[in-house]
Amino acid sequence: MTELYEWPPTRSQRAKWVLEELGLTYESRSVDLTQGRQNDKAYRAIQPLGFVPALRTERYTLFESVAIVLQLIDEHPETNLAPTVGSPERAAYYQWSVFACAELDPALMLYFDNALRPFEAMRPPGTQHSPELAERGRAAFAERAAILSDVLSGRDFMLGAEFSGADILVGHCCFMAGHMKLLGEHPVLEAYYARLQQRPAHQRAYDFG
Ligand SMILES: N[C@@H](CCC(=O)N[C@@H](CS)C(=O)NCC(=O)O)C(=O)O
């Protein structure tokens, strides 16, 4: 049985989205971040930093949202959510998948931590909202959003006409940016995310009902 350790709305949505795209059966294990369940010893044995998501299958335990998306797609090549290994398209797939976590996530989190993070208990100890750092995060996201907007002008998805795992990762960053009211400044990206939101798997993964 596959278990997804998650708490919405967080980067666990990336893992949930790929599970839904692939049509896999899984059980949801709730890790209530507002109650500090991420610090339980049993959960730290699964995810040593106490972050969500984490995945447990019959064969392995895996954390890091990007790793979960890439691994599950590799296990299901018949779904064509990743280009052939070694191809130029695969290179672009790696590039944009890593761009999401290495460039978009930090810019968005810098903005979120310094402008919005609502739970005092979840802020790093002793830190306060800083308008200067929030602006730095917003500007960093805007620079990266402009790069994505150039790529997406005239194509539907990050790799071209076909949806791939890179869209799950970049798309989740669009979700976060929208949540932070940063997406409206980037109409091409906003239209791209609207396309992604039409996917039934996205709708199931982001249904916070
Ligand atoms: N690099 C990790 C980051 C995961 C992460 O930061 N998760 C946040 C929610 S989006 C979390 O679990 N925070 C719990 C905490 O700060 O205690 C990944 O992509 O899986």
Side-chain angles (χ1 to χ4, degrees):
M1 183 221 322
T2 296
E3 297 168 289
L4 173 64
Y5 293 81
E6 59 170 327
W7 182 254
T10 66
R11 275 166 271 198
S12 47
Q13 263 47 57
R14 288 174 174 165
K16 204 174 175 91
W17 188 0
V18 75
L19 284 160
E20 294 290 343
E21 287 286 350
L22 295 171
L24 301 178
T25 303
Y26 62 97
E27 297 224 339
S28 172
R29 301 277 178 258
S30 189
V31 182
D32 188 339
L33 300 183
T34 65
Q35 298 298 312
R37 293 279 75 82
Q38 68 274 34
N39 298 318
D40 288 355
K41 206 172 158 200
Y43 187 62
R44 289 289 177 130
I46 294 168
Q47 212 300 2
L49 289 172
F51 292 153
V52 288
L55 188 81
R56 220 152 51 155
T57 75
E58 279 159 15
R59 294 190 299 137
Y60 57 80
T61 298
L62 186 62
F63 56 86
E64 284 300 333
S65 57
V66 176
I68 293 169
V69 170
L70 300 183
Q71 170 68 13
L72 289 177
I73 288 174
D74 281 353
E75 288 176 19
H76 296 277
E78 73 285 359
T79 57
N80 290 321
L81 290 186
T84 309
V85 173
S87 66
E89 293 77 18
R90 185 77 173 204
Y93 170 77
Y94 286 135
Q95 175 181 284
W96 295 123
S97 297
V98 173
F99 188 81
C101 64
E103 296 296 336
L104 300 175
D105 277 359
L108 289 168
M109 292 317 294
L110 186 62
Y111 179 76
F112 183 70
D113 283 343
N114 287 287
L116 302 172
R117 193 185 275 280
F119 305 116
E120 187 68 42
M122 287 175 64
R123 277 188 219 139
T127 57
Q128 291 182 339
H129 286 179
S130 154
E132 292 77 21
L133 290 176
E135 175 49 28
R136 207 181 291 175
R138 193 203 60 76
F141 175 71
E143 185 183 8
R144 286 150 182 77
I147 293 166
L148 294 172
S149 298
D150 276 353
V151 172
L152 286 163
S153 296
R155 59 167 66 176
D156 278 353
F157 301 109
M158 286 308 299
L159 302 186
E162 300 301 325
F163 175 84
S164 75
D167 296 299
I168 293 180
L169 297 164
V170 173
H172 178 74
C173 292
C174 293
F175 163 76
M176 293 203 292
H179 195 63
M180 298 177 200
K181 309 266 185 284
L182 294 180
L183 203 57
E185 296 169 34
H186 308 284
V188 172
L189 217 46
E190 199 173 34
Y192 162 71
Y193 187 50
R195 272 193 297 284
L196 297 179
Q197 284 177 291
Q198 288 168 13
R199 299 183 72 81
H202 180 288
Q203 288 162 15
R204 290 193 293 275
Y206 290 76
D207 176 4
F208 306 123

